[in-house]
Amino acid sequence: MSNRLGHIVVIGGGGTGIATMYDLCRRGFKVTLIERGELTSGTTGRHHGQLHCGARYAMGDRNIARECMHESEILRKIAPQAIEYNKGLFVAVDDEDMSYREQFIEACLESDIPAQEIPVPQALNYEKALSVKIKAAVVVPDGTIDPWRLVISFAAGALETQNAQICPYTEVIAINTSDEHIDSISVVDHTNGEQRTIDADLFINAAGPWAGQIAQMAGIPLQVAPSPGTMLVVKGRMSNMVVSRLHKAGDGDIIVPQRGLTIIGSTQWLSEDPDIVRIHEGDIPFLYESAEAMFPGFSEQKFHTAWAAARPLYGVSQDAEDVRALSRDFAAIDHEIADKIDNMVSIVGGKATTLRGMGEVATDMVCKKIGVEIPCTTADIVLPSHREFYKRGYHGN
Ligand SMILES: Cc1cc2nc3c(=O)[nH]c(=O)nc-3n(C[C@H](O)[C@H](O)[C@H](O)COP(=O)(O)OP(=O)(O)OC[C@H]3O[C@@H](n4cnc5c(N)ncnc54)[C@H](O)[C@@H]3O)c2cc1C
């Protein structure tokens, strides 16, 4: 599978890998995407589903906040079928939250996020289950994403170009290198146990929290900190907006309505292995208690489920206290420059909200590496429905 521009293998069928495949295909590359499970079976299928406008990050990093605002506006335009634009409400619950309010609004405005304080009675009118004790409320342009539909729309868009081949249940088990160059990858097909090798001109590591393990197979040290967090879900839709605590980003301070359910998240710790992400003892009572501060009665809702997933944070952290200090930004790394492997790029970190932008940056890097200039079009083209993916099947036929 090759053409004038060449054949690229993307490793990882989460939001990052699929958005990267989509952009590469739109620019004319032939792409094979390798995913060890079902598409979105990594962190992408297991996050809150908040469309981040960036307000949560504005105090810590204006650039990340601006990037989220920019990408969330694009996603609302190109993937309306996967987004409920219900907006977000940051609420102050105590005096400490109140002391944070002015700087928070200022930081949002400096990040081009139109944050607007509204009177408390108006907030209580919007959200009937909200605590009557809240002291202030700020509206921001957050929303709810259907994580699966969003990403599968990108996959459908890639298949539409006829440049994509998608291989689920196919795990990379070795990367075969010689003379500072990747010749091929060895994979096992979990549907029949067969092993084979796949060669390509260039390989993109988009394996999220597993990206460090993939890089290691090529002898490359890549600093990815798998940082799991727990989310708790109750039945019933307690809010219509995404409701966040108006304080420094921390644990248990985001409530996201997803269809007829309400999710509170999350907690955060470090794990050496992204496959070991068990819910920590104490997380569930902690999340109930945190939700109660914003929505009294949350604990009386019927329990639906709880799970943990690992963030793919780029960088290293020595202890759990430090995890929040790790950047939520993403990085594209050309391993020719960093590690003397001439045909591998890694794209790691970021958010589900920034998937398209990550795909654009990774594809720009590929174009630069091979010396072609092909503009990105993914911000302007409305994606096909996720349903198109199943009409075409994994191979686009
Ligand atoms: C608790 C929590 C809450 C979050 N909430 C939000 C939110 O509300 N909004 C938001 O925007 N972001 C949120 N995020 C962040 C977001 O979920 C991630 O940034 C994003 O999903 C990462 O996508 P990815 O494609 O990089 O990684 P993944 O989705 O993990 O994809 C990597 C893929 O690589 C595959 N893979 C691994 N090893 C191999 C191998 N050897 N061979 C083949 N395939 C392999 C995996 O199976 C996986 O599917 C949250 C994250 C967490 C942990």
Side-chain angles (χ1 to χ4, degrees):
M1 195 188 187
S2 194
N3 68 0
R4 183 182 58 86
L5 289 171
H7 174 215
I8 299 189
V9 162
V10 174
I11 303 168
T16 306
I18 292 175
T20 302
M21 164 180 68
Y22 171 62
D23 197 329
L24 287 163
C25 288
R26 285 213 62 85
R27 295 198 219 187
F29 292 91
K30 290 282 180 193
V31 181
T32 302
L33 182 126
I34 305 295
E35 164 55 49
R36 72 176 187 173
E38 181 53 277
L39 299 183
T40 77
S41 59
T43 305
T44 296
R46 294 186 281 159
H47 62 79
H48 293 107
Q50 178 180 10
L51 178 74
H52 278 287
C53 72
R56 180 37 88 212
Y57 306 110
M59 288 289 286
D61 189 323
R62 308 278 198 277
N63 287 333
I64 294 179
R66 224 171 267 123
E67 189 172 74
C68 284
M69 183 65 208
H70 178 66
E71 289 300 326
S72 65
E73 282 184 307
I74 293 174
L75 290 183
R76 275 158 42 200
K77 190 176 70 180
I78 66 168
Q81 72 278 9
I83 286 162
E84 185 189 347
Y85 183 43
N86 40 359
K87 304 214 179 163
L89 202 57
F90 276 73
V91 295
V93 165
D94 58 23
D95 290 340
E96 210 181 318
D97 292 357
M98 281 304 275
S99 67
Y100 192 74
R101 178 183 54 158
E102 268 181 34
Q103 313 158 56
F104 170 77
I105 296 174
E106 204 177 295
C108 286
L109 297 178
E110 280 175 22
S111 312
D112 306 326
I113 300 165
Q116 195 192 358
E117 186 166 2
I118 58 167
V120 167
Q122 192 179 342
L124 294 174
N125 192 34
Y126 284 162
E127 293 299 348
K128 306 282 190 254
L130 203 54
S131 167
V132 291
K133 292 186 189 154
I134 64 159
K135 293 169 180 275
V138 179
V139 176
V140 299
D142 278 336
T144 297
I145 308 173
D146 180 318
W148 178 82
R149 281 188 180 173
L150 175 66
V151 171
I152 296 303
S153 298
F154 276 87
L159 292 178
E160 207 173 68
T161 65
Q162 306 205 330
N163 283 334
Q165 186 183 21
I166 300 176
C167 305
Y169 302 108
T170 305
E171 181 166 359
V172 178
I173 50 171
I175 295 185
N176 311 308
T177 57
S178 62
D179 297 332
E180 301 176 347
H181 182 83
I182 299 177
D183 300 316
S184 63
I185 53 172
S186 299
V187 300
V188 56
D189 180 337
H190 288 302
T191 63
N192 56 21
E194 282 173 15
Q195 293 190 15
R196 63 190 163 108
T197 57
I198 302 173
D199 54 24
D201 301 297
L202 206 137
F203 296 82
I204 298 188
N205 172 12
W210 294 268
Q213 293 179 0
I214 295 293
Q216 197 56 48
M217 290 183 198
I220 293 170
L222 183 68
Q223 297 185 328
V224 177
S227 165
T230 301
M231 284 150 286
L232 163 70
V233 189
V234 293
K235 292 194 194 295
R237 197 168 154 112
M238 294 209 71
S239 71
N240 282 315
M241 301 166 89
V242 174
V243 178
S244 309
R245 183 87 180 253
L246 207 172
H247 64 190
K248 190 166 176 246
D251 288 352
D253 54 8
I254 299 175
I255 292 185
V256 183
Q258 276 281 0
R259 301 188 187 178
L261 303 168
T262 307
I263 305 177
I264 172 141
S266 73
T267 53
Q268 185 155 358
W269 68 94
L270 276 180
S271 168
E272 280 185 11
D273 184 346
D275 284 311
I276 302 176
V277 288
R278 287 184 206 102
I279 293 175
H280 274 190
E281 205 187 320
D283 277 4
I284 303 297
F286 166 78
L287 289 171
Y288 271 123
E289 196 188 320
S290 308
E292 282 287 329
M294 293 183 273
F295 286 98
F298 189 97
S299 320
E300 284 145 39
Q301 298 294 117
K302 206 166 175 195
F303 173 82
H304 180 72
T305 190
W307 74 87
R311 298 167 186 85
L313 302 185
Y314 180 58
V316 274
S317 182
Q318 299 313 321
D319 62 71
E321 293 297 305
D322 250 18
V323 191
R324 291 253 170 224
L326 278 173
S327 173
R328 295 303 196 267
D329 208 354
F330 65 83
I333 304 116
D334 179 348
H335 294 292
E336 182 168 11
I337 298 163
D339 306 287
K340 293 194 165 46
I341 290 284
D342 71 1
N343 60 341
M344 185 170 174
V345 163
S346 289
I347 176 82
V348 288
K351 315 283 310 162
T353 303
T354 57
L355 81 170
R356 189 217 62 87
M358 294 173 76
E360 176 175 350
V361 169
T363 307
D364 283 348
M365 186 172 271
V366 170
C367 288
K368 194 168 168 212
K369 266 180 92 58
I370 63 167
V372 293
E373 269 186 46
I374 312 170
C376 174
T377 53
T378 60
D380 303 314
I381 292 168
V382 174
L383 288 163
S385 157
H386 56 280
R387 291 192 181 87
E388 293 302 316
F389 177 77
Y390 288 105
K391 283 191 196 151
R392 289 177 181 273
Y394 281 106
H395 306 295
N397 302 316

